[in-house]
Amino acid sequence: MTQTTQRPLRVLAAMSGGVDSAVAAARAAEAGHDVTGVHLALSANPQSFRTGARGCCTIEDSRDARRAADVIGIPFYVWDLAERFREDVVDDFVAEYEAGRTPNPCLRCNEKIKFAALLDKALALGFDAVCTGHYATVVTGPGGARELHRASDMAKDQSYVLGVLDERQLAHAMFPLGDTLTTKDEIRAEAERRGLAVAKKPDSHDICFIADGDTQGFLAKRLGKAEGDIVDESGARIGSHEGAFGFTIGQRKGLRIGHPAADGKPRYVLDISPVDNTVTVGPAAALDVTALTAIKPRWCGGTAPEGRGTYTAQLRAHGDETPVEAELSDGVLRVTFDAPVRGVAPGQAIVLYDGTRVVGSATIATTERRRTDALAG
């Protein structure tokens, strides 16, 4: 398989204001492409998003991106996508938590903003590709189809959050950082050699639109506090909470349970029921998931796989791979794990891999636990 960026292209480089996107834009320009930088204004009130060196949504970030573009020597613009971001990412994030699910806003942003709204606008203006600072690799398979593969450096691989990209989006995607075995320190050193002031800027946080990192507080402001019960597996009330949206499957800390379990061991969130605003907790063993169903599958650079297949799966952005068997039926993906896994929650994405190739992504709908008395997710 070979990289697919041989001829010079008109490239729109998404520049967040961080070091990765700046170096990616510089590499694209150095490779001979006609590059234009663009910073996405994702908040109608940038002061309400993270301030300081977070590399995503603030006024400071747009200025950092502009300075990097000036050093690289490329044109630069700021595009206002705040309304689209609010509707497709922020509102979706809140609605998913309200429904008792645990979403990943980075996947949604890649799907709906960077490789949908941004890409559509780029193509309409005559650009050939959108370039970002993600660590992943796009290659051409034997039949000429574009494929998404893991980055050469697994420690920095970000293919999980790109698993929602379809064939059309991959055909216009460029990831200049994905095929080089360089550490983050080396990327920063490269930025410094290039004279980019973002060389020492801290990395951005995953949820860029939560100003202080307090997800529960952010949700409470939008959904309001709603007192409910914390119960054990038998249904006995053992505590209370101020909103089921403040919990995630597998959570251990912050449960505020007044007395220890009978066995003296820690308890974890097993289930979140938005219908009756109840959070169920239990022992770690009750978190073991043996199978799941996932909906809204998106096949990354190809068609849906036929029949039952063997893959590896990743269940979170920085998680490990685990062997699975998967089968698609009537638009629902059924996945069985070779060994039980923990911390699996409805709303999360499961991304399937065939070696280093990303097969596709789907949203987890239900889970099956090893213990027959544990609740399904």
Side-chain angles (χ1 to χ4, degrees), residues 15-316:
M15 302 182 69
S16 67
V19 63
D20 290 330
S21 61
V23 172
R27 287 187 178 184
E30 190 175 63
H33 300 301
D34 179 8
V35 180
T36 296
V38 62
H39 178 80
L40 304 183
L42 300 179
S43 173
N45 176 19
Q47 300 295 351
S48 69
F49 282 14
R50 290 188 182 276
T51 58
R54 295 302 187 184
C56 191
C57 307
T58 69
I59 293 174
E60 297 99 309
D61 295 320
S62 66
R63 292 170 179 165
D64 288 343
R66 182 180 295 278
R67 283 191 286 267
D70 288 344
V71 171
I72 298 168
I74 59 176
F76 178 83
Y77 301 91
V78 175
W79 286 359
D80 183 0
L81 292 179
E83 183 175 354
R84 181 74 180 266
F85 183 78
R86 177 182 58 78
E87 294 175 353
D88 289 341
V89 180
V90 181
D91 289 352
D92 174 80
F93 178 84
V94 174
E96 286 293 284
Y97 265 101
E98 187 176 22
R101 296 185 288 266
T102 305
N104 185 313
C106 293
L107 273 82
R108 198 64 58 234
C109 184
N110 287 327
E111 176 188 357
K112 299 291 187 178
I113 305 299
K114 294 176 182 175
F115 292 96
L118 176 62
L119 177 58
D120 289 346
K121 189 171 183 178
L123 295 177
L125 291 173
F127 288 93
D128 300 303
V130 166
C131 163
T132 73
H134 287 101
Y135 290 87
T137 308
V138 179
V139 302
T140 300
R146 299 279 289 237
E147 298 177 355
L148 179 67
H149 285 249
R150 289 193 181 277
S152 298
D153 186 351
M154 279 291 294
K156 298 196 300 294
D157 176 63
Q158 292 176 305
S159 60
Y160 174 86
V161 297
L162 298 169
V164 290
L165 303 187
D166 60 25
E167 185 172 10
R168 172 181 174 273
Q169 293 167 332
L170 278 181
H172 300 285
M174 180 183 293
F175 307 119
L177 305 187
D179 62 346
T180 54
L181 287 169
T182 51
T183 67
K184 192 57 180 276
D185 286 342
E186 288 170 334
I187 290 293
R188 293 189 182 282
E190 179 179 338
E192 193 162 9
R193 288 195 303 272
R194 293 180 181 275
L196 300 173
V198 293
K200 296 181 180 179
K201 187 173 181 178
D203 289 338
S204 60
H205 286 235
D206 284 345
I207 305 180
C208 63
F209 52 84
I210 298 182
D212 56 5
D214 180 9
T215 301
Q216 187 168 355
F218 174 86
L219 293 168
K221 289 179 182 178
R222 285 153 179 79
L223 298 175
K225 293 183 178 180
E227 291 188 4
D229 294 336
I230 299 177
V231 302
D232 62 18
E233 291 180 281
S234 71
R237 183 181 184 277
I238 57 175
S240 64
H241 61 78
E242 295 182 338
F245 53 76
F247 299 85
T248 58
I249 303 296
Q251 179 178 335
R252 173 185 173 184
K253 296 181 179 180
L255 300 185
R256 295 184 298 178
I257 300 173
H259 54 86
D263 60 7
K265 295 181 179 179
R267 281 173 288 197
Y268 300 78
V269 174
L270 303 181
D271 186 70
I272 302 164
S273 175
V275 176
D276 56 10
N277 197 29
T278 298
V279 175
T280 303
V281 299
L287 287 170
D288 286 348
V289 170
T290 57
L292 61 79
T293 61
I295 57 175
K296 301 177 183 178
R298 290 177 62 88
W299 307 112
C300 199
T303 57
E306 297 181 0
R308 191 171 184 84
T310 300
Y311 308 94
T312 57
Q314 190 169 327
L315 296 162
R316 54 187 61 85

